[in-house]
Amino acid sequence: MEVKEEYSKLVEMLEERSHLGGVMGVMHWDQEVIMPSGAADSRAKQMSALAGVLHEKSTAPEFGELVGRLHAEGSEQFNAIEWCNIQEAKRDYVLETKVPKKLVQELAELSSRGHVVWVQARKDNKFADFAPVLKRFIELKTQWAKCVFPDLNSYDANIDIFERGTTQERIDPIFATLKKELIGLIQTIKDSGAKPNGDFLQGDFPVAKQEELGRKISSEMGFSFDHGRLDVSVHPFCGGAHPTDVRITTRYRADNFVESLYAVIHETGHGLYEQGRMPENLDQPVSEPLTMGIHESQSLFWERMIAQSRSFCTHYLATFQAVFNGQFDGVSGDQLYDAVNICESSLIRVEADEITYPLHIILRYEIEKGLFDGSLQVDDLPGIWNDRMEEYLGIRPPSDTLGVLQDVHWSSGSFGYFPSYTLGAIYACQFFHSMKKEIPNIEDQIAQGHLHPVKDWLNKNIHRLGRLYSAEDLVKKVTGEPLNPNLYIRYLKEKYAAIYKITLG
Amino acid sequence: MEVKEEYSKLVEMLEERSHLGGVMGVMHWDQEVIMPSGAADSRAKQMSALAGVLHEKSTAPEFGELVGRLHAEGSEQFNAIEWCNIQEAKRDYVLETKVPKKLVQELAELSSRGHVVWVQARKDNKFADFAPVLKRFIELKTQWAKCVFPDLNSYDANIDIFERGTTQERIDPIFATLKKELIGLIQTIKDSGAKPNGDFLQGDFPVAKQEELGRKISSEMGFSFDHGRLDVSVHPFCGGAHPTDVRITTRYRADNFVESLYAVIHETGHGLYEQGRMPENLDQPVSEPLTMGIHESQSLFWERMIAQSRSFCTHYLATFQAVFNGQFDGVSGDQLYDAVNICESSLIRVEADEITYPLHIILRYEIEKGLFDGSLQVDDLPGIWNDRMEEYLGIRPPSDTLGVLQDVHWSSGSFGYFPSYTLGAIYACQFFHSMKKEIPNIEDQIAQGHLHPVKDWLNKNIHRLGRLYSAEDLVKKVTGEPLNPNLYIRYLKEKYAAIYKITLG
């Protein structure tokens, strides 16, 4: 077979895997949004069978040999897109063939069952019911890590899946700096005694109106409802089957519309990344989102940089006033801006403001590190969680439901995912800095409700590039410098000094 | 390997196929109920890839050899359940291995795309837009028939998939008798000039209340919403992933609740068959529903024999009165019974009464016969459809949307399915006859709102038996005689003679 013909064969195989991956996407979404409760067992078996098929396809010797032959041809035989697909296929083949099918299936089944156990344990406030799932996951994910990256320590291997090339060695100093600076910043804000008025964000917000508002703003951000959906789930997420079928979720509280709306905006940010992938290669690895940190940079870009900005609040105040009759009478855009940026230690990560949020992440990162290196035990987590919440944020969760059981991630064995949230926040800040340089009047445009230049800029600079660059190279290409946490710290200090009328060093 | 060990291996393989079949069930349901419109292309590819996997599994030589060895051991080596699984596996293997993968995938892709084309053509009232899909399906299904049953004519091969062992030779005389008798009966009813009052069935029925009512009655029939769902789709159907995840749909019209409610009852009848399968062998062929005719006998049992009975109407009148405030003031149970049994020629099959319904089926049966034997051409169908509607029912459709484009079946290439509806009606009548003999006070129980004895009887006599008997043997076992269309004709004549106060021979 000629090289081009062999490459076409590879693309065909990769696209088949993408199609089957899309099927798995529907199964996941369905499980979290739609599935009847009594179907948990059958669903676990179905997803396990499908995971088995995907594993078979990914480990087929025919596939491995083809990838090996193409890779041996060298990069000069291919264009950048082709070579990226070959490299991605090679990495995946190496990753997949090192994991025995039995382990893959056990992980898939535990993931499916674990979700159901977690939902119930969270409802019952019983961490002990979830603990066996978590213990088994640590065992399985440690075994898994030894199979796939024998040279990395187990937690680094888990991180690598979400944040390729990033290790504890790189994260530790970033998080150490953040931890120190943010604990100090939070203390200064507390000591200031200042507190913007946020009373008007409490009230009676009918769910149907919240949903209507979410759809409106998501559409104005550029999300295509012909190629996506908005539904309800326990934990908001962005999933689906394909860039033409992107499904975001939120959850509603009748007394607080901000939480739900900003979840919609956050998940729309993820969704726009998916819908914005390079259109010619939608079912190929080259078009896939880069890392979880870059994915998160997109959701946080919209949530923090755009939707919590003064210009966004100025424009959308009138919309809020129109949707929620009378609720915002006499409120100014500046007051709304201050209110959506109130900094206050809180128990739930997804409700946290942008200053306290990284400390939620650092807590989880430290726990995951400890579970993998054996310095922490699963049974001790509720106590550890509560102690450190008190140490970092000055509040103590009254229940596991509001503490260690709050997040969905561990119920599917996703360790090493959490750091991406805060890496994403740093990326987002740095991207926004560059966007403002390139589009100097962008804040005026947002203040007039023109969000499409934001989407277009992200499409062009991030989404359409797929995996053609590493995350490290992408941030250099887009911003002219490597990932820089100090820019993020400076941004937070400047912003909150103004809101809280304090002086910061 | 020992025989028992080999049999266990077979069960494992069959269960894997069942799990993957469940995945396909979710994909189908999602496509019809949930999927964004712009995802049609990607969905077609995903379902095609999954169909390809199922085909690979079904045609694996390892599987065929195992089945061959077990079958060669002979029935005396196994109990009835084991032997049934082996026989079913053998039939499936023979069926699947005769179809090339390419043809399987082309059928799956056309099925997925065809559905989208049909939805649009129906909306636009443009049969010509759908015609190419239909033509291609006839070609592919003719090719397919030659592969799987070279000894049968093409249409018989299509029928055999839905109604195993039934051919045009067996159906023709039954349908000839029905056609003659029903055209006569309809004429007599028309000539009588009588018409029960059905005015109170028209009105304003809020969709939310209709849905509440549908859920209530479905629950009272015994449908488990912990193991199923009720949603909305263009054409009502019963699908889902598993007996623990059975999904029924209906559609709502604000001015007519009967159509929607009886669709819920009909689909619940299908759903109860699925939820009632033998619990020990849920993922094995032995527990699967028998034929489409038997499946339809279960939906029609509930829709026609139960929900259109005097006792059901007597009991549920009070419920209707409570749900739809004031709408049924002064209406008696007998009046409701007469109204839901009004016989009137109408354009849409799923809205047809039980006398005119079989003529809708016979029309479709004749068209399918003609398309496969070449005596009818796709492009002529709108004219043929309208002419025969006039001949059999005395009405002429004003549009293809209300005529030849009304049904979903052809959009997925399901030819030979329609006859099952009327065979099912005949089975249902015969089963009900037997149930009344075994539970003499069943009508009193229904009149008191006790529907569970009906469900229990069907669970025990039909659902739990799975595929242990052929349809022919099952009807003999349950009713003591073979399928008997004369019982059905007698039932119709007696019932409608009373409602229309006419004398019938």
Side-chain angles (χ1 to χ4, degrees):
Chain A
M1 244 197 284
E2 296 217 350
V3 173
K4 288 293 163 195
E5 213 177 313
E6 289 220 304
Y7 178 75
S8 296
K9 177 71 192 156
L10 175 69
V11 168
E12 197 181 298
M13 293 172 105
L14 291 172
E15 290 185 343
E16 186 195 31
R17 285 165 53 183
S18 168
H19 302 326
L20 294 173
V23 174
M24 186 64 105
V26 173
M27 296 302 281
H28 269 296
W29 176 88
D30 186 275
Q31 177 176 261
E32 309 235 344
V33 177
I34 283 282
M35 187 188 79
S37 60
D41 285 348
S42 61
R43 179 56 55 97
K45 288 175 189 163
Q46 286 156 2
M47 289 172 73
S48 169
L50 185 58
V53 168
L54 277 159
H55 185 67
E56 276 168 27
K57 299 273 174 197
S58 303
T59 57
E62 182 200 9
F63 176 68
E65 286 154 20
L66 181 62
V67 171
R69 282 197 303 276
L70 287 165
H71 197 262
E73 292 286 332
S75 62
E76 62 283 356
Q77 292 291 317
F78 303 97
N79 67 31
I81 285 174
E82 292 166 344
W83 185 240
C84 178
N85 279 330
I86 293 166
Q87 282 187 299
E88 291 291 323
K90 186 159 190 282
R91 175 179 155 104
D92 272 6
Y93 183 71
V94 170
L95 278 176
E96 290 284 340
T97 47
K98 289 187 178 168
V99 188
K101 183 175 173 183
K102 197 176 162 300
L103 180 53
V104 171
Q105 288 187 324
E106 198 178 349
L107 279 165
E109 195 156 350
L110 186 61
S111 170
S112 181
R113 188 163 55 79
H115 182 265
V116 177
V117 172
W118 168 74
V119 168
Q120 193 61 44
R122 185 169 180 259
K123 197 173 154 197
D124 299 343
N125 187 35
K126 276 196 180 165
F127 177 77
D129 290 351
F130 180 58
V133 169
L134 195 45
K135 285 178 196 171
R136 186 65 185 147
F137 258 132
I138 298 292
E139 287 167 10
L140 293 179
K141 283 286 184 174
T142 301
Q143 283 176 35
W144 170 89
K146 281 185 185 129
C147 297
V148 294
F149 296 124
D151 299 337
L152 289 180
N153 97 8
S154 298
Y155 186 39
D156 280 345
N158 277 275
I159 293 170
D160 202 83
I161 295 306
F162 301 108
E163 215 49 46
R164 203 188 296 186
T166 299
T167 59
Q168 292 160 76
E169 201 182 341
R170 291 185 62 186
I171 296 173
D172 282 345
I174 296 177
F175 281 9
T177 308
L178 270 183
K179 188 169 160 181
K180 184 173 154 291
E181 292 278 358
L182 294 181
I183 290 178
L185 178 55
I186 292 165
Q187 196 55 50
T188 309
I189 289 174
K190 270 190 193 149
D191 293 345
S192 79
K195 203 190 157 193
N197 175 22
D199 292 349
F200 53 82
L201 296 180
Q202 305 298 316
D204 182 24
F205 305 98
V207 168
K209 289 198 166 186
Q210 289 192 52
E211 195 192 324
E212 183 197 327
L213 177 66
R215 281 180 195 278
K216 176 184 159 65
I217 292 181
S218 185
S219 293
E220 288 174 7
M221 289 165 65
F223 187 80
S224 162
F225 282 95
D226 285 344
H227 300 95
R229 293 183 54 87
L230 169 61
D231 296 276
V232 174
S233 65
V234 173
H235 185 97
F237 71 99
C238 173
H242 192 259
T244 59
D245 187 358
V246 178
R247 302 182 181 194
I248 59 176
T249 68
T250 188
R251 55 185 170 193
Y252 297 102
R253 278 174 50 186
D255 62 342
N256 180 333
F257 84 103
V258 170
E259 183 189 325
S260 162
L261 177 63
Y262 278 72
V264 172
I265 292 168
H266 180 98
E267 301 306 336
T268 299
H270 285 303
L272 290 174
Y273 193 177
E274 297 291 341
Q275 290 185 345
R277 286 164 57 173
M278 54 177 87
E280 312 78 22
N281 307 286
L282 283 183
D283 282 302
Q284 298 170 23
V286 66
S287 81
E288 283 174 25
L290 197 48
T291 67
M292 282 301 124
I294 297 297
H295 226 310
E296 197 63 16
S297 80
Q298 298 309 292
S299 51
L300 290 176
F301 194 98
W302 284 100
E303 183 187 1
R304 305 292 193 200
M305 301 297 129
I306 306 299
Q308 283 180 245
S309 72
R310 199 178 295 276
S311 43
F312 184 94
C313 292
T314 305
H315 174 73
Y316 277 102
L317 174 63
T319 304
F320 296 171
Q321 284 170 332
V323 173
F324 303 116
N325 248 333
Q327 177 74 25
F328 298 98
D329 287 357
V331 174
S332 73
D334 285 344
Q335 285 172 317
L336 179 62
Y337 168 69
D338 286 352
V340 300
N341 285 294
I342 288 174
C343 168
E344 193 162 44
S345 295
S346 64
L347 297 170
I348 302 296
R349 175 182 61 82
V350 297
E351 295 168 14
D353 58 77
E354 63 186 332
I355 300 182
T356 55
Y357 194 103
L359 292 168
H360 287 268
I361 294 306
I362 290 167
L363 164 65
R364 286 155 180 76
Y365 173 70
E366 290 170 350
I367 286 175
E368 291 185 345
K369 266 183 85 158
L371 289 176
F372 275 95
D373 69 21
S375 62
L376 297 182
Q377 300 307 313
V378 166
D379 293 331
D380 300 332
L381 290 193
I384 291 162
W385 184 285
N386 295 346
D387 290 348
R388 296 198 187 177
M389 280 295 287
E390 211 162 350
E391 185 187 342
Y392 303 164
L393 293 170
I395 50 175
R396 193 171 184 89
S399 69
D400 294 342
T401 301
L402 297 172
V404 66
L405 281 174
Q406 71 184 258
D407 282 314
V408 74
H409 305 61
W410 293 341
S411 79
S412 64
S414 293
F415 304 106
Y417 188 121
F418 284 118
S420 303
Y421 289 113
T422 288
L423 296 174
I426 304 171
Y427 280 123
C429 181
Q430 204 163 327
F431 289 146
F432 188 58
H433 197 70
S434 298
M435 197 185 72
K436 281 195 292 190
K437 279 194 231 160
E438 288 181 37
I439 315 176
N441 72 340
I442 190 64
E443 287 171 322
D444 292 342
Q445 296 215 46
I446 294 167
Q448 289 164 48
H450 302 152
L451 301 180
H452 55 91
V454 178
K455 172 178 173 276
D456 293 346
W457 191 90
L458 294 171
N459 278 160
K460 179 178 153 236
N461 287 287
I462 320 271
H463 308 164
R464 296 261 161 76
L465 303 184
R467 299 196 163 182
L468 289 173
Y469 301 87
S470 70
E472 218 172 341
D473 288 347
L474 181 72
V475 72
K476 277 188 215 151
K477 178 176 151 54
V478 178
T479 74
E481 58 175 336
L483 187 64
N484 179 359
N486 294 320
L487 197 64
Y488 182 58
I489 291 167
R490 198 172 75 215
Y491 150 79
L492 290 177
K493 286 186 174 176
E494 284 175 6
K495 176 172 176 180
Y496 288 92
I499 293 172
Y500 282 89
K501 300 172 182 55
I502 47 182
T503 311
L504 290 162
Chain B
M1 245 198 286
E2 294 217 352
V3 173
K4 287 294 162 192
E5 213 177 314
E6 290 219 304
Y7 177 74
S8 296
K9 178 71 193 152
L10 175 69
V11 167
E12 197 182 298
M13 294 173 104
L14 291 172
E15 289 184 342
E16 185 194 30
R17 285 166 54 185
S18 167
H19 301 326
L20 294 171
V23 173
M24 187 64 106
V26 173
M27 297 301 281
H28 269 296
W29 176 88
D30 187 274
Q31 177 176 261
E32 310 235 342
V33 177
I34 283 281
M35 188 187 81
S37 59
D41 285 349
S42 61
R43 178 56 55 96
K45 287 175 190 163
Q46 287 157 0
M47 289 173 72
S48 168
L50 185 58
V53 168
L54 276 160
H55 185 66
E56 276 168 26
K57 299 273 174 195
S58 304
T59 57
E62 182 199 10
F63 176 69
E65 286 154 20
L66 181 62
V67 171
R69 281 197 302 277
L70 286 166
H71 197 263
E73 292 286 332
S75 63
E76 61 284 355
Q77 293 290 317
F78 303 96
N79 67 32
I81 285 174
E82 292 166 345
W83 186 241
C84 178
N85 280 331
I86 292 166
Q87 283 187 298
E88 291 292 321
K90 186 160 191 282
R91 174 179 157 104
D92 272 7
Y93 183 72
V94 169
L95 279 175
E96 290 285 340
T97 48
K98 289 186 176 166
V99 188
K101 184 175 172 183
K102 196 175 163 300
L103 180 53
V104 172
Q105 289 187 322
E106 198 178 348
L107 279 165
E109 196 155 351
L110 187 61
S111 170
S112 182
R113 188 163 54 79
H115 182 265
V116 177
V117 172
W118 168 74
V119 168
Q120 194 60 43
R122 185 169 180 258
K123 197 174 154 197
D124 299 343
N125 187 34
K126 274 195 181 167
F127 178 78
D129 289 351
F130 180 58
V133 169
L134 196 46
K135 283 178 195 169
R136 186 64 186 147
F137 258 132
I138 298 291
E139 287 167 10
L140 293 179
K141 284 286 185 176
T142 302
Q143 283 174 35
W144 170 90
K146 280 185 186 130
C147 297
V148 293
F149 296 123
D151 299 336
L152 289 181
N153 98 7
S154 299
Y155 186 41
D156 281 343
N158 278 275
I159 294 170
D160 201 81
I161 295 305
F162 301 107
E163 214 51 44
R164 202 187 295 186
T166 299
T167 59
Q168 293 161 77
E169 201 183 341
R170 291 185 61 186
I171 296 173
D172 282 346
I174 296 176
F175 281 9
T177 307
L178 269 182
K179 186 169 161 182
K180 182 173 157 290
E181 291 279 355
L182 295 181
I183 291 178
L185 178 53
I186 292 163
Q187 197 54 51
T188 309
I189 288 173
K190 272 191 193 145
D191 293 346
S192 77
K195 202 189 160 196
N197 175 23
D199 291 349
F200 53 84
L201 296 180
Q202 305 298 317
D204 184 22
F205 305 97
V207 168
K209 291 199 166 189
Q210 288 192 52
E211 195 192 325
E212 181 197 327
L213 178 65
R215 282 181 194 278
K216 177 184 158 64
I217 293 181
S218 185
S219 292
E220 289 174 4
M221 289 164 65
F223 187 79
S224 162
F225 282 95
D226 285 343
H227 300 96
R229 293 182 54 88
L230 169 61
D231 296 275
V232 174
S233 66
V234 173
H235 185 97
F237 72 99
C238 172
H242 193 259
T244 59
D245 187 359
V246 178
R247 304 181 180 194
I248 59 176
T249 68
T250 188
R251 55 185 171 195
Y252 297 102
R253 276 175 51 187
D255 62 342
N256 180 332
F257 83 104
V258 170
E259 184 189 325
S260 163
L261 177 64
Y262 278 73
V264 172
I265 292 169
H266 180 98
E267 301 306 336
T268 299
H270 284 304
L272 290 175
Y273 194 176
E274 296 292 340
Q275 290 185 343
R277 284 162 60 172
M278 54 177 90
E280 311 78 23
N281 307 284
L282 283 182
D283 282 302
Q284 297 170 23
V286 66
S287 82
E288 283 173 26
L290 198 48
T291 68
M292 283 300 125
I294 297 297
H295 226 312
E296 196 64 16
S297 79
Q298 298 308 293
S299 51
L300 291 176
F301 194 98
W302 284 100
E303 182 185 1
R304 304 293 193 200
M305 300 298 129
I306 306 298
Q308 284 180 246
S309 71
R310 197 178 294 275
S311 41
F312 184 95
C313 294
T314 305
H315 174 72
Y316 278 102
L317 174 62
T319 305
F320 297 172
Q321 283 170 332
V323 173
F324 303 117
N325 249 334
Q327 177 73 26
F328 298 98
D329 287 357
V331 174
S332 72
D334 285 344
Q335 283 171 320
L336 179 62
Y337 169 70
D338 285 354
V340 300
N341 285 293
I342 288 173
C343 168
E344 194 160 44
S345 296
S346 64
L347 298 170
I348 302 296
R349 176 182 60 83
V350 298
E351 295 168 14
D353 59 77
E354 62 187 333
I355 300 182
T356 55
Y357 195 104
L359 292 168
H360 288 266
I361 294 306
I362 290 167
L363 164 65
R364 287 153 179 78
Y365 173 72
E366 290 170 351
I367 286 175
E368 291 186 343
K369 268 183 80 157
L371 290 175
F372 276 95
D373 70 21
S375 62
L376 298 181
Q377 300 308 312
V378 166
D379 293 331
D380 300 332
L381 289 195
I384 292 163
W385 184 285
N386 295 347
D387 290 347
R388 295 198 189 178
M389 279 295 285
E390 211 162 351
E391 185 188 342
Y392 303 162
L393 293 170
I395 51 176
R396 195 171 183 90
S399 69
D400 294 341
T401 300
L402 297 172
V404 67
L405 282 174
Q406 71 184 258
D407 283 312
V408 74
H409 305 62
W410 293 341
S411 79
S412 63
S414 292
F415 305 107
Y417 188 122
F418 285 118
S420 303
Y421 290 113
T422 287
L423 297 175
I426 304 170
Y427 280 123
C429 181
Q430 204 162 327
F431 289 146
F432 188 59
H433 198 68
S434 298
M435 196 185 72
K436 281 196 289 190
K437 279 193 230 161
E438 287 180 38
I439 316 177
N441 72 339
I442 190 65
E443 287 172 321
D444 291 341
Q445 296 215 46
I446 295 167
Q448 289 164 47
H450 301 151
L451 301 180
H452 56 91
V454 177
K455 171 177 174 278
D456 293 345
W457 190 90
L458 294 170
N459 278 160
K460 178 178 154 234
N461 287 287
I462 320 274
H463 309 165
R464 295 259 161 78
L465 301 185
R467 296 196 165 182
L468 289 172
Y469 301 87
S470 70
E472 216 173 342
D473 288 347
L474 181 72
V475 71
K476 278 187 215 154
K477 178 175 149 53
V478 178
T479 73
E481 58 174 335
L483 188 65
N484 180 357
N486 293 320
L487 196 63
Y488 182 59
I489 292 167
R490 199 174 72 214
Y491 150 80
L492 290 177
K493 286 187 174 175
E494 284 176 6
K495 177 173 175 179
Y496 289 91
I499 293 172
Y500 283 88
K501 297 172 184 60
I502 46 182
T503 311
L504 291 162

